[in-house]
């Protein structure tokens, strides 16, 4: 078998760019047993603050995991199976949005790209309250990942 090129580590800027280019990733939290709990999640990336934000409901198991053990990681796939970024850090869980347009509801709304914002913003904010939505904020202190340069 012929040895091909090895994956190369990505720079911090390239990793941040990959996180910003994707919308879905796998969030890893820590179960009480110490095993990972993996969930595919929609997220938004704030490169300046180095925070990945996720919307979820207060009753999800990942919320309980993060309240007990805040260490978490986000894995994001690149354009091929050898390209990826991982963002590690500590996560915090916001308060539950309790009134349409409160700070948490506005943060959740702000996670939606401008061109995908709901036409009925008030209705959307009311739905967030009814669903007992929270924001998970992964404060990233370590990025790593690779890419594989293949021609052809």
């Amino acid at each position: 078998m012929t040895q091909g090129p090895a994956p190369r580590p990505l720079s911090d800027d390239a990793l941040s760019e990959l996180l910003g280019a994707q919308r879905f990733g796998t969030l890893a939290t820590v179960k009480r047993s110490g095993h990972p709990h993996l969930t595919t999640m929609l997220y938004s990336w704030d490169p300046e603050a180095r925070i990945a934000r996720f919307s979820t409901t207060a009753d999800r198991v990942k919320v309980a995991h993060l309240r007990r053990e805040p260490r978490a990681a986000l894995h994001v796939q690149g354009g091929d199976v050898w390209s990826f970024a991982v963002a590690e850090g500590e996560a915090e869980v916001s308060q539950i949005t309790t009134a349409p347009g409160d700070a948490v509801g506005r943060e959740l709304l702000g996670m939606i790209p401008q061109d995908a914002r709901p036409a009925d913003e008030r209705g959307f904010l009311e739905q967030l309250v009814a669903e007992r939505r929270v924001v998970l904020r992964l404060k990233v202190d370590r990025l790593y990942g690779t890419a594989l340069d293949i021609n052809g």
Side-chain angles (χ1 to χ4, degrees), residues 24-47:
F24 286 92
T26 303
L27 178 65
T29 60
V30 181
K31 295 181 189 180
R32 190 172 302 280
S33 68
H35 292 94
H37 175 264
L38 304 173
T39 308
T40 301
M41 302 271 306
L42 179 69
Y43 72 93
S44 68
W45 172 241
D46 180 341

Side-chain angles (χ1 to χ4, degrees), residues 30 39 50 56 81 89 93 101 109 111 113 123 127 129 146:
V30 181
T39 308
R50 289 175 65 101
T56 192
V81 298
V93 180
L109 182 63
M111 293 167 52
Q127 180 181 343
V129 171
T146 65

Side-chain angles (χ1 to χ4, degrees), residues 9 11 13 17 19 39 47 55 59 68 89 91-92 115-116 139 151:
S11 69
D13 287 343
E17 187 176 310
L19 286 166
T39 308
S55 171
D59 62 342
R68 184 184 39 75
E92 65 182 23
D115 62 346
K139 296 178 178 182
N151 295 329

Side-chain angles (χ1 to χ4, degrees), residues 24-134:
F24 286 92
T26 303
L27 178 65
T29 60
V30 181
K31 295 181 189 180
R32 190 172 302 280
S33 68
H35 292 94
H37 175 264
L38 304 173
T39 308
T40 301
M41 302 271 306
L42 179 69
Y43 72 93
S44 68
W45 172 241
D46 180 341
E48 289 80 31
R50 289 175 65 101
I51 295 175
R53 287 181 173 84
F54 309 84
S55 171
T56 192
T57 57
D59 62 342
R60 297 289 185 181
V61 70
K62 64 187 143 288
V63 172
H65 292 164
L66 292 171
R67 286 191 170 134
R68 184 184 39 75
E69 169 55 71
R71 290 180 298 171
L74 170 65
H75 176 274
V76 174
Q77 189 68 39
D80 59 69
V81 298
W82 299 108
S83 301
F84 69 93
V86 175
E88 293 181 338
E90 290 201 2
E92 65 182 23
V93 180
S94 75
Q95 297 295 319
I96 299 168
T97 183
T98 57
D102 64 9
V104 174
R106 289 277 165 208
E107 185 176 1
L108 289 161
L109 182 63
M111 293 167 52
I112 301 171
Q114 197 65 38
D115 62 346
R117 294 273 171 101
D120 179 9
E121 186 175 297
R122 177 74 180 178
F124 176 76
L125 293 168
E126 289 171 355
Q127 180 181 343
L128 296 176
V129 171
E131 293 174 352
R132 298 177 29 87
R133 289 267 161 191
V134 298

